[in-house]
Amino acid sequence: MHEHDEETDDHLPPSKSQRKRDVEALQALGRELTQLSKDQLKKMDLPENLLVAVLEYQRITSHSAMRRQMQYIGKVMRDADPEPILEQLAAIRGESASAKAEFHALERWRARLLEDDGAVTEWLAAHPGSDAQQIRQLIRNARKEAELGKPPKSSRELFRLLREAE
């Protein structure tokens, strides 16, 4: 068996398999960029040619054209430094995770308000600027709508009111 000197291994070009894995990782990163909104993309610090390529992908409707554009995005990604892009995507994912947590917290508050009359007092103590009369009216209407099997218009309005108070 031939033993390799570690120094010579460092100077060898990456294997074909490694190059393929690297290209696939860049394409996956590019694919993730295509899933973002235009506002999110424009807030990111992306190379101009990459931003244009991703925005163009989002406008395309033809499957074969989308495939070609995704290949082009992968090619453009080869010239870009992926680290800052990965960091920015991680920050965006974090924002969406915190937004989801906030949404679920508001949903729990709404459910508590609809089930427990004492929860209104808790909400008002935590959010003194809230309109108690409007909240109580929306709770009564939401309960009545649920009882009659009507669309939850007041429940949605209550959620909007809670979100604004937060």
Side-chain angles (χ1 to χ4, degrees):
M1 244 175 75
H2 179 62
E3 286 187 35
H4 288 288
D5 187 350
E6 278 191 35
E7 284 185 41
T8 58
D9 280 352
D10 290 343
H11 298 294
L12 292 175
S15 69
K16 185 177 179 183
S17 299
Q18 184 59 48
R19 286 194 316 267
K20 185 175 180 182
R21 283 191 296 270
D22 292 346
V23 166
E24 287 171 352
L26 288 173
Q27 285 177 337
L29 185 57
R31 196 170 297 109
E32 191 170 350
L33 289 173
T34 65
Q35 303 304 309
L36 299 176
S37 71
K38 286 181 184 172
D39 287 340
Q40 288 173 317
L41 286 167
K42 289 180 180 178
K43 287 178 188 173
M44 291 180 73
D45 182 24
L46 295 175
E48 186 65 25
N49 59 345
L50 179 58
L51 176 61
V52 169
V54 171
L55 291 172
E56 178 62 27
Y57 176 89
Q58 292 179 337
R59 283 194 295 272
I60 297 172
T61 56
S62 161
H63 180 71
S64 58
M66 290 172 83
R67 188 180 48 75
R68 284 191 305 275
Q69 187 67 13
M70 186 56 72
Q71 288 173 336
Y72 175 68
I73 289 169
K75 182 180 176 189
V76 171
M77 291 290 300
R78 283 181 236 151
D79 297 329
D81 181 5
E83 284 308 311
I85 297 170
L86 286 167
E87 289 171 13
Q88 293 174 75
L89 282 171
I92 288 172
R93 282 188 223 111
E95 286 174 16
S96 67
S98 64
K100 284 180 187 173
E102 184 180 314
F103 178 83
H104 291 303
L106 288 173
E107 280 186 327
R108 286 191 298 275
W109 261 114
R110 176 177 59 184
R112 283 184 59 209
L113 289 167
L114 292 174
E115 294 166 9
D116 178 14
D117 291 328
V120 175
T121 309
E122 285 181 54
W123 175 266
L124 294 172
H127 305 85
S130 297
D131 183 345
Q133 185 176 356
Q134 187 179 14
I135 289 174
R136 287 191 176 99
Q137 181 65 48
L138 287 171
I139 290 170
R140 278 192 300 274
N141 291 349
R143 287 175 180 168
K144 189 176 282 188
E145 287 167 359
E147 191 179 303
L148 298 173
K150 291 186 174 184
K153 179 182 167 203
S154 296
S155 180
R156 287 189 200 115
E157 187 60 36
L158 177 62
F159 184 84
R160 258 185 244 114
L161 188 72
L162 299 179
R163 189 173 52 207
E164 288 168 11
E166 282 286 308

